[in-house]
Amino acid sequence: SKRIAGIISARGSNSSHVAILARAMGIPAVMGASNVSLGWMDQCEVIADGYQGRIYVQPPAIVKTEYSRLIKEESLLKKELRGLRNLPAETSDGFKVALMVNSGLLADEAISHSETEDGVGLYRTEFLFMVRESFPSESEQQEMYHKILKAYAPMSVNIRTIDVGGDKPLPYLPVAEDNPSLGWRGIRVALDHPDILVTQIKALLKASLGLNNMNIMFPMLSNLDELDEAQALYENALYEVKLKHPDIATPKVGVMIEVPSAMLLAESFAKRVDFLSIGSNDLTQYLLAVDRNNPRVAKLYDTLNPAVLRGIKLVVDAGVKQAKPVCVCGEMAGDPIAALLLVAMGVGSLSMANSNIARVKWVI
């Protein structure tokens, strides 16, 4: 990341996974530049404004001067925010907010530079599967999960089970679909291949031995039957592992609320699990019927749309009613303006890219 000044992509939007990766690395990214021939930028001086989504090629002196000033301001702000590192994320009226980090894109960097004191709100396990040519073994998974759990101990780590499909395909499990966002992805893949999910759960349980700081959450559920199946597989895996390792602590189990049907069933889910985690990226995509990777409709993708906010409030209220904690772990959580809205709704836990924690703490 130290060798990359910025990223310009002809495809995608600011909520695509490439953009999420760039934010995690602190790299400016302009997505969906489909009306620009990127090839002719070679050897040109370019400004990539990741905040405004603008590109300047061979900019005039006055533009370069203005952006030099903005870069200096950004540097000064970062220095000012460092002073908040040891202060709690607490509002003036005493409401404490847990600020957690999203990890799994760049695990080592997140570990070494994390500003969180509250742990990991979302650890994405699918990238361990995506960078390989075949499924990782149970022992390989166990080694990786133990590394992340140990790095953050005694802070808690919410680990999401494998969430592939859609725009996160596995090279060794090819799937051709007309509409992959509505197709075979998330928990649907895992339940159709229960051996994959059981192997992963066993690896997670063994990796937590002696650390006891792991929680497990299932992604992309759309109905209660899927939760019943996933919990049955989890209970079987837990039983088998505890036969050999009786000292393993039983982790808390939660679900990701990312599908409108799950949002509407939030209270029913809350009765059966230990916590709820709102994935605002996909929930926004599905509520507004907007492909978050399509630059043509990117302007319609709005996490502050009243329908999205009402949906989130519905989930938060369901959590309160069932006395179950609710976390928001999409990119929305790392937006300082959106974070204020979420806190006002009663969200007590926000999980975001490490680079956003200080700014969100500042506004809180």
Side-chain angles (χ1 to χ4, degrees), residues 72-289:
K72 289 179 182 178
E73 282 188 4
E74 181 96 353
S75 178
L76 289 173
L77 177 61
K78 286 181 179 179
K79 288 181 181 179
E80 181 182 340
L81 293 177
R82 288 193 195 109
L84 302 176
R85 180 182 285 269
N86 296 321
L87 296 178
E90 187 173 311
T91 63
S92 57
D93 60 349
F95 184 71
K96 176 73 168 64
V97 184
L99 298 185
M100 309 176 82
V101 68
N102 293 338
S103 186
L105 291 171
L106 292 167
D108 292 335
E109 182 148 317
I111 292 168
S112 60
H113 297 97
S114 180
E115 298 188 23
T116 181
E117 297 176 0
D118 300 306
V120 178
L122 168 64
Y123 182 77
R124 307 172 177 95
T125 60
E126 56 269 13
F127 292 96
L128 173 61
F129 292 78
M130 292 172 67
V131 298
R132 300 173 53 88
E133 296 180 358
S134 61
F135 283 106
S137 67
E138 181 181 317
S139 60
E140 289 172 324
Q141 291 187 60
Q142 179 182 337
E143 181 181 355
M144 181 63 187
Y145 303 147
H146 182 77
K147 180 181 178 183
I148 191 79
L149 292 171
K150 185 177 180 181
Y152 279 99
M155 294 183 288
S156 65
V157 180
N158 296 338
I159 297 186
R160 182 175 71 187
T161 59
I162 183 171
D163 182 16
V164 294
D167 57 350
K168 294 179 289 184
L170 289 182
Y172 45 89
L173 191 65
V175 179
E177 295 181 305
D178 292 334
N179 196 338
S181 293
L182 299 180
W184 200 51
R185 58 171 302 193
I187 198 67
R188 301 168 185 176
V189 176
L191 294 181
D192 283 347
H193 289 277
D195 52 320
I196 296 174
L197 183 58
V198 169
T199 298
Q200 182 177 36
I201 292 172
K202 287 181 178 179
L204 287 168
L205 292 169
K206 293 176 182 178
S208 70
L209 185 62
L211 296 172
N212 303 334
N213 63 332
M214 179 188 70
N215 304 317
I216 293 176
M217 53 188 183
F218 299 116
M220 287 296 298
L221 287 95
S222 57
N223 60 65
L224 295 171
D225 288 343
E226 290 173 333
L227 176 59
D228 290 341
E229 286 187 59
Q231 284 184 319
L233 292 172
Y234 163 76
E235 293 292 344
N236 289 338
L238 180 64
Y239 175 77
E240 288 186 33
V241 172
K242 280 203 168 189
L243 288 176
K244 292 186 178 180
H245 306 281
D247 295 333
I248 285 182
T250 302
K252 293 180 179 178
V253 176
V255 294
M256 299 284 294
I257 305 295
E258 304 169 277
V259 178
S261 61
M263 177 192 78
L264 294 172
L265 293 170
E267 188 173 344
S268 297
F269 277 112
K271 291 178 180 179
R272 303 183 184 209
V273 297
D274 299 308
F275 64 96
L276 303 176
S277 186
I278 300 173
S280 64
N281 300 345
D282 274 320
L283 185 60
T284 301
Q285 170 176 243
Y286 293 131
L287 277 173
L288 302 182

